[in-house]
């Protein structure tokens, strides 16, 4: 009888140990910011809320970059694909309402077909918080807090970074807000990956 209790106790301890969540905190690179600037291959998932005087929309986002190629997929909260925007250095393709549309400018294509304004042409720098501009305000750890930035189409954006996570040796934004005139875009990022 004692053996059975001992066996059960050991089994429960083993299973309890297996059930513990393993949190791996990476060591921060001393030169994390230049490394992050040069990181051209990344994948991030999160949520996006688009707020204008006329409407409010929200979606899940899945955004990948491989060198100069971007792939942004927005889905509803039940998993239905809203759109997919693929971008290369020369061409943009938007799949929307079961049709494909093409343009040389991804942001212009997105705005024209959906009415959605988002500076997708320079996503790597503002999404990672690595914009280098005179207006950049950083915190005590060198992370972007706020920047006034002009996209490729000359639109002025105020970008506020309110939260970061340390992952894969970098400080990575998890909450940011973009504002252009009366448009506000809130983005929450929760799964950064690099290759």
């Amino acid at each position: 009888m004692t053996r059975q209790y001992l066996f059960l106790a050991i089994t429960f301890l083993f299973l309890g140990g297996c059930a513990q969540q393993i949190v791996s905190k990476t060591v921060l690179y001393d030169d994390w910011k230049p490394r992050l600037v040069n990181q051209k291959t990344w994948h991030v998932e999160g949520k996006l809320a688009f707020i204008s005087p006329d409407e409010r929309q929200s979606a899940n986002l899945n955004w990948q970059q491989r060198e100069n190629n971007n792939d942004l997929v927005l889905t509803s909260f039940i998993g239905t694909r809203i759109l997919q925007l693929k971008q290369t250095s020369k061409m943009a393709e938007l799949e929307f309402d079961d049709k494909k549309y093409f343009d040389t400018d991804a942001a212009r294509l997105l705005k024209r077909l959906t009415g959605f304004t988002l500076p997708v042409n320079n996503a790597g720098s503002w999404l990672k918080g690595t914009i280098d501009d005179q207006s950049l305000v950083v915190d005590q750890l060198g992370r972007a807090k706020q920047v006034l930035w002009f996209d490729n189409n000359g639109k002025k954006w105020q970008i506020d970074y309110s939260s970061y996570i340390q992952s894969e040796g970098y400080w990575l934004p998890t909450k940011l807000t973009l504002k252009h005139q009366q448009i506000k875009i809130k983005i929450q990022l929760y799964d950064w990956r690099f290759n």
Side-chain angles (χ1 to χ4, degrees), residues 70-73 81 83-96 98-110 112-114 120-121:
N70 270 295
D71 189 5
L72 169 64
V73 177
R81 187 186 324 195
L83 63 84
Q84 180 170 10
L85 179 64
K86 295 179 182 177
Q87 180 184 17
T88 67
S89 58
K90 297 179 182 178
M91 182 64 63
E93 173 189 315
L94 178 66
E95 191 173 326
F96 180 66
D98 296 324
K99 294 182 182 140
K100 291 185 180 181
Y101 303 90
F102 301 89
D103 198 319
T104 55
D105 185 291
R108 182 175 60 212
L109 180 62
L110 187 63
R112 187 180 77 217
L113 292 168
T114 67
V120 291
N121 295 336

PDB file of all heavy atoms in Angstrom, residues 70-73 81 83-96 98-110 112-114 120-121:
ATOM      1  N   ASN A  70       7.092  41.344 -48.407  1.00  0.00           N
ATOM      2  CA  ASN A  70       6.178  41.404 -47.274  1.00  0.00           C
ATOM      3  C   ASN A  70       4.911  40.643 -47.586  1.00  0.00           C
ATOM      4  O   ASN A  70       4.453  40.637 -48.727  1.00  0.00           O
ATOM      5  CB  ASN A  70       5.795  42.864 -46.976  1.00  0.00           C
ATOM      6  CG  ASN A  70       6.748  43.505 -46.000  1.00  0.00           C
ATOM      7  OD1 ASN A  70       6.829  43.091 -44.856  1.00  0.00           O
ATOM      8  ND2 ASN A  70       7.457  44.516 -46.465  1.00  0.00           N
ATOM      9  N   ASP A  71       4.335  40.059 -46.570  1.00  0.00           N
ATOM     10  CA  ASP A  71       3.061  39.359 -46.711  1.00  0.00           C
ATOM     11  C   ASP A  71       2.231  39.666 -45.466  1.00  0.00           C
ATOM     12  O   ASP A  71       2.580  39.248 -44.364  1.00  0.00           O
ATOM     13  CB  ASP A  71       3.297  37.853 -46.846  1.00  0.00           C
ATOM     14  CG  ASP A  71       2.031  37.089 -47.206  1.00  0.00           C
ATOM     15  OD1 ASP A  71       0.986  37.719 -47.436  1.00  0.00           O
ATOM     16  OD2 ASP A  71       2.098  35.851 -47.248  1.00  0.00           O
ATOM     17  N   LEU A  72       1.158  40.420 -45.639  1.00  0.00           N
ATOM     18  CA  LEU A  72       0.272  40.803 -44.547  1.00  0.00           C
ATOM     19  C   LEU A  72      -1.079  40.139 -44.756  1.00  0.00           C
ATOM     20  O   LEU A  72      -1.687  40.284 -45.816  1.00  0.00           O
ATOM     21  CB  LEU A  72       0.090  42.325 -44.508  1.00  0.00           C
ATOM     22  CG  LEU A  72      -1.001  42.873 -43.582  1.00  0.00           C
ATOM     23  CD1 LEU A  72      -0.683  42.568 -42.124  1.00  0.00           C
ATOM     24  CD2 LEU A  72      -1.169  44.370 -43.792  1.00  0.00           C
ATOM     25  N   VAL A  73      -1.536  39.406 -43.743  1.00  0.00           N
ATOM     26  CA  VAL A  73      -2.857  38.776 -43.790  1.00  0.00           C
ATOM     27  C   VAL A  73      -3.661  39.310 -42.614  1.00  0.00           C
ATOM     28  O   VAL A  73      -3.212  39.254 -41.466  1.00  0.00           O
ATOM     29  CB  VAL A  73      -2.759  37.233 -43.701  1.00  0.00           C
ATOM     30  CG1 VAL A  73      -4.149  36.612 -43.676  1.00  0.00           C
ATOM     31  CG2 VAL A  73      -1.934  36.676 -44.852  1.00  0.00           C
ATOM     32  N   ARG A  81     -10.614  35.147 -43.555  1.00  0.00           N
ATOM     33  CA  ARG A  81      -9.636  36.058 -44.145  1.00  0.00           C
ATOM     34  C   ARG A  81     -10.338  37.292 -44.706  1.00  0.00           C
ATOM     35  O   ARG A  81     -11.259  37.196 -45.501  1.00  0.00           O
ATOM     36  CB  ARG A  81      -8.840  35.388 -45.256  1.00  0.00           C
ATOM     37  CG  ARG A  81      -7.721  36.309 -45.721  1.00  0.00           C
ATOM     38  CD  ARG A  81      -6.934  35.877 -46.888  1.00  0.00           C
ATOM     39  NE  ARG A  81      -6.685  34.464 -46.980  1.00  0.00           N
ATOM     40  CZ  ARG A  81      -5.777  33.939 -47.773  1.00  0.00           C
ATOM     41  NH1 ARG A  81      -5.043  34.703 -48.522  1.00  0.00           N
ATOM     42  NH2 ARG A  81      -5.616  32.651 -47.842  1.00  0.00           N
ATOM     43  N   LEU A  83      -8.292  40.061 -45.936  1.00  0.00           N
ATOM     44  CA  LEU A  83      -7.452  40.409 -47.085  1.00  0.00           C
ATOM     45  C   LEU A  83      -6.072  39.818 -46.913  1.00  0.00           C
ATOM     46  O   LEU A  83      -5.653  39.466 -45.816  1.00  0.00           O
ATOM     47  CB  LEU A  83      -7.363  41.932 -47.271  1.00  0.00           C
ATOM     48  CG  LEU A  83      -6.711  42.782 -46.173  1.00  0.00           C
ATOM     49  CD1 LEU A  83      -5.192  42.842 -46.304  1.00  0.00           C
ATOM     50  CD2 LEU A  83      -7.269  44.195 -46.239  1.00  0.00           C
ATOM     51  N   GLN A  84      -5.360  39.737 -48.037  1.00  0.00           N
ATOM     52  CA  GLN A  84      -3.947  39.357 -48.034  1.00  0.00           C
ATOM     53  C   GLN A  84      -3.225  40.313 -48.964  1.00  0.00           C
ATOM     54  O   GLN A  84      -3.605  40.476 -50.124  1.00  0.00           O
ATOM     55  CB  GLN A  84      -3.736  37.925 -48.489  1.00  0.00           C
ATOM     56  CG  GLN A  84      -2.264  37.532 -48.479  1.00  0.00           C
ATOM     57  CD  GLN A  84      -2.042  36.046 -48.698  1.00  0.00           C
ATOM     58  OE1 GLN A  84      -2.956  35.303 -49.050  1.00  0.00           O
ATOM     59  NE2 GLN A  84      -0.807  35.604 -48.490  1.00  0.00           N
ATOM     60  N   LEU A  85      -2.199  40.960 -48.440  1.00  0.00           N
ATOM     61  CA  LEU A  85      -1.416  41.914 -49.206  1.00  0.00           C
ATOM     62  C   LEU A  85       0.005  41.401 -49.327  1.00  0.00           C
ATOM     63  O   LEU A  85       0.706  41.237 -48.330  1.00  0.00           O
ATOM     64  CB  LEU A  85      -1.425  43.285 -48.515  1.00  0.00           C
ATOM     65  CG  LEU A  85      -0.634  44.397 -49.175  1.00  0.00           C
ATOM     66  CD1 LEU A  85      -1.210  44.750 -50.550  1.00  0.00           C
ATOM     67  CD2 LEU A  85      -0.605  45.635 -48.294  1.00  0.00           C
ATOM     68  N   LYS A  86       0.427  41.116 -50.561  1.00  0.00           N
ATOM     69  CA  LYS A  86       1.794  40.672 -50.826  1.00  0.00           C
ATOM     70  C   LYS A  86       2.532  41.810 -51.504  1.00  0.00           C
ATOM     71  O   LYS A  86       1.986  42.464 -52.395  1.00  0.00           O
ATOM     72  CB  LYS A  86       1.801  39.441 -51.734  1.00  0.00           C
ATOM     73  CG  LYS A  86       1.174  38.219 -51.111  1.00  0.00           C
ATOM     74  CD  LYS A  86       1.201  37.052 -52.073  1.00  0.00           C
ATOM     75  CE  LYS A  86       0.533  35.836 -51.473  1.00  0.00           C
ATOM     76  NZ  LYS A  86       0.496  34.718 -52.415  1.00  0.00           N
ATOM     77  N   GLN A  87       3.778  41.999 -51.096  1.00  0.00           N
ATOM     78  CA  GLN A  87       4.547  43.123 -51.613  1.00  0.00           C
ATOM     79  C   GLN A  87       5.982  42.701 -51.896  1.00  0.00           C
ATOM     80  O   GLN A  87       6.622  42.061 -51.065  1.00  0.00           O
ATOM     81  CB  GLN A  87       4.509  44.251 -50.578  1.00  0.00           C
ATOM     82  CG  GLN A  87       5.258  45.488 -50.954  1.00  0.00           C
ATOM     83  CD  GLN A  87       5.246  46.502 -49.816  1.00  0.00           C
ATOM     84  OE1 GLN A  87       4.955  46.174 -48.679  1.00  0.00           O
ATOM     85  NE2 GLN A  87       5.562  47.735 -50.136  1.00  0.00           N
ATOM     86  N   THR A  88       6.461  43.063 -53.079  1.00  0.00           N
ATOM     87  CA  THR A  88       7.871  42.907 -53.420  1.00  0.00           C
ATOM     88  C   THR A  88       8.434  44.301 -53.643  1.00  0.00           C
ATOM     89  O   THR A  88       7.723  45.292 -53.513  1.00  0.00           O
ATOM     90  CB  THR A  88       8.054  42.061 -54.700  1.00  0.00           C
ATOM     91  OG1 THR A  88       7.528  42.788 -55.814  1.00  0.00           O
ATOM     92  CG2 THR A  88       7.352  40.712 -54.580  1.00  0.00           C
ATOM     93  N   SER A  89       9.694  44.388 -54.009  1.00  0.00           N
ATOM     94  CA  SER A  89      10.288  45.707 -54.244  1.00  0.00           C
ATOM     95  C   SER A  89       9.696  46.395 -55.469  1.00  0.00           C
ATOM     96  O   SER A  89       9.800  47.605 -55.621  1.00  0.00           O
ATOM     97  CB  SER A  89      11.808  45.589 -54.385  1.00  0.00           C
ATOM     98  OG  SER A  89      12.115  44.699 -55.443  1.00  0.00           O
ATOM     99  N   LYS A  90       9.039  45.627 -56.358  1.00  0.00           N
ATOM    100  CA  LYS A  90       8.510  46.212 -57.597  1.00  0.00           C
ATOM    101  C   LYS A  90       6.994  46.159 -57.728  1.00  0.00           C
ATOM    102  O   LYS A  90       6.412  46.871 -58.530  1.00  0.00           O
ATOM    103  CB  LYS A  90       9.118  45.497 -58.805  1.00  0.00           C
ATOM    104  CG  LYS A  90      10.605  45.668 -58.897  1.00  0.00           C
ATOM    105  CD  LYS A  90      11.158  44.942 -60.087  1.00  0.00           C
ATOM    106  CE  LYS A  90      12.675  45.095 -60.114  1.00  0.00           C
ATOM    107  NZ  LYS A  90      13.275  44.386 -61.212  1.00  0.00           N
ATOM    108  N   MET A  91       6.324  45.305 -56.956  1.00  0.00           N
ATOM    109  CA  MET A  91       4.901  45.068 -57.197  1.00  0.00           C
ATOM    110  C   MET A  91       4.172  44.763 -55.892  1.00  0.00           C
ATOM    111  O   MET A  91       4.748  44.225 -54.958  1.00  0.00           O
ATOM    112  CB  MET A  91       4.736  43.883 -58.164  1.00  0.00           C
ATOM    113  CG  MET A  91       3.317  43.554 -58.543  1.00  0.00           C
ATOM    114  SD  MET A  91       2.453  44.852 -59.455  1.00  0.00           S
ATOM    115  CE  MET A  91       3.419  44.951 -60.942  1.00  0.00           C
ATOM    116  N   ALA A  92       2.885  45.117 -55.854  1.00  0.00           N
ATOM    117  CA  ALA A  92       2.017  44.766 -54.740  1.00  0.00           C
ATOM    118  C   ALA A  92       0.795  44.045 -55.278  1.00  0.00           C
ATOM    119  O   ALA A  92       0.263  44.415 -56.327  1.00  0.00           O
ATOM    120  CB  ALA A  92       1.598  46.016 -53.981  1.00  0.00           C
ATOM    121  N   GLU A  93       0.374  43.019 -54.554  1.00  0.00           N
ATOM    122  CA  GLU A  93      -0.815  42.252 -54.937  1.00  0.00           C
ATOM    123  C   GLU A  93      -1.734  42.170 -53.730  1.00  0.00           C
ATOM    124  O   GLU A  93      -1.320  41.772 -52.643  1.00  0.00           O
ATOM    125  CB  GLU A  93      -0.409  40.844 -55.370  1.00  0.00           C
ATOM    126  CG  GLU A  93      -1.577  39.911 -55.618  1.00  0.00           C
ATOM    127  CD  GLU A  93      -1.135  38.472 -55.823  1.00  0.00           C
ATOM    128  OE1 GLU A  93      -0.168  38.243 -56.578  1.00  0.00           O
ATOM    129  OE2 GLU A  93      -1.749  37.579 -55.215  1.00  0.00           O
ATOM    130  N   LEU A  94      -2.982  42.577 -53.919  1.00  0.00           N
ATOM    131  CA  LEU A  94      -3.971  42.533 -52.850  1.00  0.00           C
ATOM    132  C   LEU A  94      -5.074  41.567 -53.221  1.00  0.00           C
ATOM    133  O   LEU A  94      -5.696  41.693 -54.272  1.00  0.00           O
ATOM    134  CB  LEU A  94      -4.571  43.926 -52.612  1.00  0.00           C
ATOM    135  CG  LEU A  94      -5.662  44.020 -51.542  1.00  0.00           C
ATOM    136  CD1 LEU A  94      -5.097  43.716 -50.155  1.00  0.00           C
ATOM    137  CD2 LEU A  94      -6.297  45.398 -51.551  1.00  0.00           C
ATOM    138  N   GLU A  95      -5.293  40.575 -52.367  1.00  0.00           N
ATOM    139  CA  GLU A  95      -6.414  39.656 -52.543  1.00  0.00           C
ATOM    140  C   GLU A  95      -7.502  40.109 -51.581  1.00  0.00           C
ATOM    141  O   GLU A  95      -7.328  40.097 -50.363  1.00  0.00           O
ATOM    142  CB  GLU A  95      -5.989  38.229 -52.234  1.00  0.00           C
ATOM    143  CG  GLU A  95      -7.023  37.207 -52.640  1.00  0.00           C
ATOM    144  CD  GLU A  95      -6.528  35.777 -52.483  1.00  0.00           C
ATOM    145  OE1 GLU A  95      -5.325  35.545 -52.683  1.00  0.00           O
ATOM    146  OE2 GLU A  95      -7.363  34.919 -52.155  1.00  0.00           O
ATOM    147  N   PHE A  96      -8.633  40.559 -52.168  1.00  0.00           N
ATOM    148  CA  PHE A  96      -9.712  41.159 -51.384  1.00  0.00           C
ATOM    149  C   PHE A  96     -11.034  40.845 -52.069  1.00  0.00           C
ATOM    150  O   PHE A  96     -11.160  40.995 -53.289  1.00  0.00           O
ATOM    151  CB  PHE A  96      -9.479  42.684 -51.306  1.00  0.00           C
ATOM    152  CG  PHE A  96     -10.505  43.439 -50.533  1.00  0.00           C
ATOM    153  CD1 PHE A  96     -10.660  43.258 -49.178  1.00  0.00           C
ATOM    154  CD2 PHE A  96     -11.311  44.365 -51.174  1.00  0.00           C
ATOM    155  CE1 PHE A  96     -11.606  43.978 -48.470  1.00  0.00           C
ATOM    156  CE2 PHE A  96     -12.259  45.096 -50.482  1.00  0.00           C
ATOM    157  CZ  PHE A  96     -12.404  44.892 -49.115  1.00  0.00           C
ATOM    158  N   ASP A  98     -12.283  37.998 -52.782  1.00  0.00           N
ATOM    159  CA  ASP A  98     -12.050  36.900 -53.729  1.00  0.00           C
ATOM    160  C   ASP A  98     -11.540  37.357 -55.091  1.00  0.00           C
ATOM    161  O   ASP A  98     -11.693  36.658 -56.091  1.00  0.00           O
ATOM    162  CB  ASP A  98     -13.317  36.049 -53.909  1.00  0.00           C
ATOM    163  CG  ASP A  98     -13.722  35.357 -52.619  1.00  0.00           C
ATOM    164  OD1 ASP A  98     -12.807  34.942 -51.863  1.00  0.00           O
ATOM    165  OD2 ASP A  98     -14.933  35.235 -52.363  1.00  0.00           O
ATOM    166  N   LYS A  99     -10.935  38.533 -55.147  1.00  0.00           N
ATOM    167  CA  LYS A  99     -10.337  39.028 -56.393  1.00  0.00           C
ATOM    168  C   LYS A  99      -8.924  39.494 -56.091  1.00  0.00           C
ATOM    169  O   LYS A  99      -8.603  39.847 -54.962  1.00  0.00           O
ATOM    170  CB  LYS A  99     -11.155  40.179 -56.973  1.00  0.00           C
ATOM    171  CG  LYS A  99     -12.539  39.756 -57.427  1.00  0.00           C
ATOM    172  CD  LYS A  99     -13.273  40.932 -58.032  1.00  0.00           C
ATOM    173  CE  LYS A  99     -14.667  40.463 -58.434  1.00  0.00           C
ATOM    174  NZ  LYS A  99     -15.702  41.412 -58.162  1.00  0.00           N
ATOM    175  N   LYS A 100      -8.082  39.517 -57.131  1.00  0.00           N
ATOM    176  CA  LYS A 100      -6.708  39.986 -56.982  1.00  0.00           C
ATOM    177  C   LYS A 100      -6.543  41.304 -57.718  1.00  0.00           C
ATOM    178  O   LYS A 100      -7.019  41.471 -58.840  1.00  0.00           O
ATOM    179  CB  LYS A 100      -5.723  38.951 -57.526  1.00  0.00           C
ATOM    180  CG  LYS A 100      -5.662  37.708 -56.676  1.00  0.00           C
ATOM    181  CD  LYS A 100      -4.600  36.750 -57.152  1.00  0.00           C
ATOM    182  CE  LYS A 100      -4.566  35.515 -56.262  1.00  0.00           C
ATOM    183  NZ  LYS A 100      -3.553  34.567 -56.657  1.00  0.00           N
ATOM    184  N   TYR A 101      -5.838  42.233 -57.061  1.00  0.00           N
ATOM    185  CA  TYR A 101      -5.591  43.557 -57.613  1.00  0.00           C
ATOM    186  C   TYR A 101      -4.092  43.832 -57.517  1.00  0.00           C
ATOM    187  O   TYR A 101      -3.427  43.362 -56.601  1.00  0.00           O
ATOM    188  CB  TYR A 101      -6.359  44.613 -56.827  1.00  0.00           C
ATOM    189  CG  TYR A 101      -7.850  44.361 -56.770  1.00  0.00           C
ATOM    190  CD1 TYR A 101      -8.398  43.596 -55.743  1.00  0.00           C
ATOM    191  CD2 TYR A 101      -8.694  44.882 -57.743  1.00  0.00           C
ATOM    192  CE1 TYR A 101      -9.761  43.358 -55.683  1.00  0.00           C
ATOM    193  CE2 TYR A 101     -10.067  44.648 -57.688  1.00  0.00           C
ATOM    194  CZ  TYR A 101     -10.593  43.885 -56.654  1.00  0.00           C
ATOM    195  OH  TYR A 101     -11.941  43.647 -56.611  1.00  0.00           O
ATOM    196  N   PHE A 102      -3.587  44.645 -58.452  1.00  0.00           N
ATOM    197  CA  PHE A 102      -2.148  44.890 -58.527  1.00  0.00           C
ATOM    198  C   PHE A 102      -1.860  46.387 -58.624  1.00  0.00           C
ATOM    199  O   PHE A 102      -2.654  47.156 -59.159  1.00  0.00           O
ATOM    200  CB  PHE A 102      -1.546  44.177 -59.750  1.00  0.00           C
ATOM    201  CG  PHE A 102      -1.758  42.687 -59.730  1.00  0.00           C
ATOM    202  CD1 PHE A 102      -2.893  42.119 -60.293  1.00  0.00           C
ATOM    203  CD2 PHE A 102      -0.834  41.855 -59.122  1.00  0.00           C
ATOM    204  CE1 PHE A 102      -3.104  40.755 -60.264  1.00  0.00           C
ATOM    205  CE2 PHE A 102      -1.037  40.477 -59.083  1.00  0.00           C
ATOM    206  CZ  PHE A 102      -2.170  39.927 -59.652  1.00  0.00           C
ATOM    207  N   ASP A 103      -0.703  46.775 -58.111  1.00  0.00           N
ATOM    208  CA  ASP A 103      -0.236  48.159 -58.180  1.00  0.00           C
ATOM    209  C   ASP A 103       1.265  48.132 -57.886  1.00  0.00           C
ATOM    210  O   ASP A 103       1.791  47.128 -57.395  1.00  0.00           O
ATOM    211  CB  ASP A 103      -0.972  49.018 -57.155  1.00  0.00           C
ATOM    212  CG  ASP A 103      -0.885  50.517 -57.438  1.00  0.00           C
ATOM    213  OD1 ASP A 103       0.207  50.983 -57.834  1.00  0.00           O
ATOM    214  OD2 ASP A 103      -1.890  51.221 -57.262  1.00  0.00           O
ATOM    215  N   THR A 104       1.936  49.229 -58.135  1.00  0.00           N
ATOM    216  CA  THR A 104       3.356  49.326 -57.782  1.00  0.00           C
ATOM    217  C   THR A 104       3.541  49.829 -56.351  1.00  0.00           C
ATOM    218  O   THR A 104       4.628  49.750 -55.806  1.00  0.00           O
ATOM    219  CB  THR A 104       4.098  50.273 -58.746  1.00  0.00           C
ATOM    220  OG1 THR A 104       3.432  51.538 -58.746  1.00  0.00           O
ATOM    221  CG2 THR A 104       4.131  49.693 -60.147  1.00  0.00           C
ATOM    222  N   ASP A 105       2.478  50.343 -55.725  1.00  0.00           N
ATOM    223  CA  ASP A 105       2.544  50.895 -54.376  1.00  0.00           C
ATOM    224  C   ASP A 105       1.523  50.178 -53.487  1.00  0.00           C
ATOM    225  O   ASP A 105       0.317  50.294 -53.694  1.00  0.00           O
ATOM    226  CB  ASP A 105       2.254  52.395 -54.422  1.00  0.00           C
ATOM    227  CG  ASP A 105       2.424  53.063 -53.081  1.00  0.00           C
ATOM    228  OD1 ASP A 105       1.603  52.799 -52.182  1.00  0.00           O
ATOM    229  OD2 ASP A 105       3.369  53.849 -52.926  1.00  0.00           O
ATOM    230  N   ALA A 106       2.005  49.456 -52.471  1.00  0.00           N
ATOM    231  CA  ALA A 106       1.127  48.644 -51.623  1.00  0.00           C
ATOM    232  C   ALA A 106       0.173  49.505 -50.794  1.00  0.00           C
ATOM    233  O   ALA A 106      -1.004  49.176 -50.668  1.00  0.00           O
ATOM    234  CB  ALA A 106       1.967  47.752 -50.712  1.00  0.00           C
ATOM    235  N   ALA A 107       0.671  50.599 -50.213  1.00  0.00           N
ATOM    236  CA  ALA A 107      -0.185  51.461 -49.386  1.00  0.00           C
ATOM    237  C   ALA A 107      -1.300  52.087 -50.224  1.00  0.00           C
ATOM    238  O   ALA A 107      -2.447  52.173 -49.783  1.00  0.00           O
ATOM    239  CB  ALA A 107       0.647  52.540 -48.708  1.00  0.00           C
ATOM    240  N   ARG A 108      -0.964  52.520 -51.421  1.00  0.00           N
ATOM    241  CA  ARG A 108      -1.963  53.114 -52.313  1.00  0.00           C
ATOM    242  C   ARG A 108      -3.013  52.085 -52.721  1.00  0.00           C
ATOM    243  O   ARG A 108      -4.213  52.375 -52.745  1.00  0.00           O
ATOM    244  CB  ARG A 108      -1.260  53.699 -53.542  1.00  0.00           C
ATOM    245  CG  ARG A 108      -2.192  54.389 -54.516  1.00  0.00           C
ATOM    246  CD  ARG A 108      -1.435  55.041 -55.650  1.00  0.00           C
ATOM    247  NE  ARG A 108      -0.665  54.062 -56.401  1.00  0.00           N
ATOM    248  CZ  ARG A 108       0.493  54.331 -56.983  1.00  0.00           C
ATOM    249  NH1 ARG A 108       1.038  55.524 -56.904  1.00  0.00           N
ATOM    250  NH2 ARG A 108       1.131  53.388 -57.652  1.00  0.00           N
ATOM    251  N   LEU A 109      -2.570  50.869 -53.024  1.00  0.00           N
ATOM    252  CA  LEU A 109      -3.487  49.791 -53.396  1.00  0.00           C
ATOM    253  C   LEU A 109      -4.442  49.470 -52.243  1.00  0.00           C
ATOM    254  O   LEU A 109      -5.659  49.339 -52.439  1.00  0.00           O
ATOM    255  CB  LEU A 109      -2.679  48.547 -53.775  1.00  0.00           C
ATOM    256  CG  LEU A 109      -3.444  47.301 -54.200  1.00  0.00           C
ATOM    257  CD1 LEU A 109      -4.258  47.548 -55.463  1.00  0.00           C
ATOM    258  CD2 LEU A 109      -2.466  46.147 -54.424  1.00  0.00           C
ATOM    259  N   LEU A 110      -3.917  49.377 -51.045  1.00  0.00           N
ATOM    260  CA  LEU A 110      -4.725  49.085 -49.869  1.00  0.00           C
ATOM    261  C   LEU A 110      -5.763  50.178 -49.631  1.00  0.00           C
ATOM    262  O   LEU A 110      -6.942  49.894 -49.401  1.00  0.00           O
ATOM    263  CB  LEU A 110      -3.816  48.941 -48.641  1.00  0.00           C
ATOM    264  CG  LEU A 110      -4.453  48.465 -47.344  1.00  0.00           C
ATOM    265  CD1 LEU A 110      -5.002  47.062 -47.487  1.00  0.00           C
ATOM    266  CD2 LEU A 110      -3.426  48.519 -46.222  1.00  0.00           C
ATOM    267  N   ARG A 112      -6.952  52.408 -51.833  1.00  0.00           N
ATOM    268  CA  ARG A 112      -7.895  52.499 -52.950  1.00  0.00           C
ATOM    269  C   ARG A 112      -9.005  51.456 -52.858  1.00  0.00           C
ATOM    270  O   ARG A 112     -10.173  51.750 -53.097  1.00  0.00           O
ATOM    271  CB  ARG A 112      -7.139  52.344 -54.275  1.00  0.00           C
ATOM    272  CG  ARG A 112      -8.009  52.600 -55.510  1.00  0.00           C
ATOM    273  CD  ARG A 112      -7.227  52.448 -56.789  1.00  0.00           C
ATOM    274  NE  ARG A 112      -7.046  51.025 -57.070  1.00  0.00           N
ATOM    275  CZ  ARG A 112      -5.957  50.511 -57.603  1.00  0.00           C
ATOM    276  NH1 ARG A 112      -4.918  51.252 -57.896  1.00  0.00           N
ATOM    277  NH2 ARG A 112      -5.871  49.213 -57.840  1.00  0.00           N
ATOM    278  N   LEU A 113      -8.659  50.241 -52.468  1.00  0.00           N
ATOM    279  CA  LEU A 113      -9.643  49.161 -52.488  1.00  0.00           C
ATOM    280  C   LEU A 113     -10.380  48.947 -51.171  1.00  0.00           C
ATOM    281  O   LEU A 113     -11.502  48.454 -51.172  1.00  0.00           O
ATOM    282  CB  LEU A 113      -8.983  47.855 -52.918  1.00  0.00           C
ATOM    283  CG  LEU A 113      -8.529  47.862 -54.381  1.00  0.00           C
ATOM    284  CD1 LEU A 113      -7.642  46.686 -54.672  1.00  0.00           C
ATOM    285  CD2 LEU A 113      -9.735  47.865 -55.308  1.00  0.00           C
ATOM    286  N   THR A 114      -9.760  49.306 -50.071  1.00  0.00           N
ATOM    287  CA  THR A 114     -10.400  49.045 -48.778  1.00  0.00           C
ATOM    288  C   THR A 114     -10.729  50.315 -48.008  1.00  0.00           C
ATOM    289  O   THR A 114     -11.485  50.253 -47.044  1.00  0.00           O
ATOM    290  CB  THR A 114      -9.487  48.175 -47.892  1.00  0.00           C
ATOM    291  OG1 THR A 114      -8.321  48.928 -47.540  1.00  0.00           O
ATOM    292  CG2 THR A 114      -9.082  46.886 -48.595  1.00  0.00           C
ATOM    293  N   VAL A 120       2.236  50.509 -45.104  1.00  0.00           N
ATOM    294  CA  VAL A 120       2.804  49.169 -45.267  1.00  0.00           C
ATOM    295  C   VAL A 120       4.128  49.161 -46.023  1.00  0.00           C
ATOM    296  O   VAL A 120       4.880  48.195 -45.927  1.00  0.00           O
ATOM    297  CB  VAL A 120       1.804  48.220 -45.974  1.00  0.00           C
ATOM    298  CG1 VAL A 120       0.619  47.923 -45.082  1.00  0.00           C
ATOM    299  CG2 VAL A 120       1.340  48.774 -47.301  1.00  0.00           C
ATOM    300  N   ASN A 121       4.416  50.228 -46.776  1.00  0.00           N
ATOM    301  CA  ASN A 121       5.637  50.240 -47.583  1.00  0.00           C
ATOM    302  C   ASN A 121       6.901  50.244 -46.731  1.00  0.00           C
ATOM    303  O   ASN A 121       7.947  49.819 -47.179  1.00  0.00           O
ATOM    304  CB  ASN A 121       5.649  51.441 -48.525  1.00  0.00           C
ATOM    305  CG  ASN A 121       4.537  51.367 -49.552  1.00  0.00           C
ATOM    306  OD1 ASN A 121       4.046  50.302 -49.877  1.00  0.00           O
ATOM    307  ND2 ASN A 121       4.116  52.511 -50.055  1.00  0.00           N
TER     308      ASN A 121
END
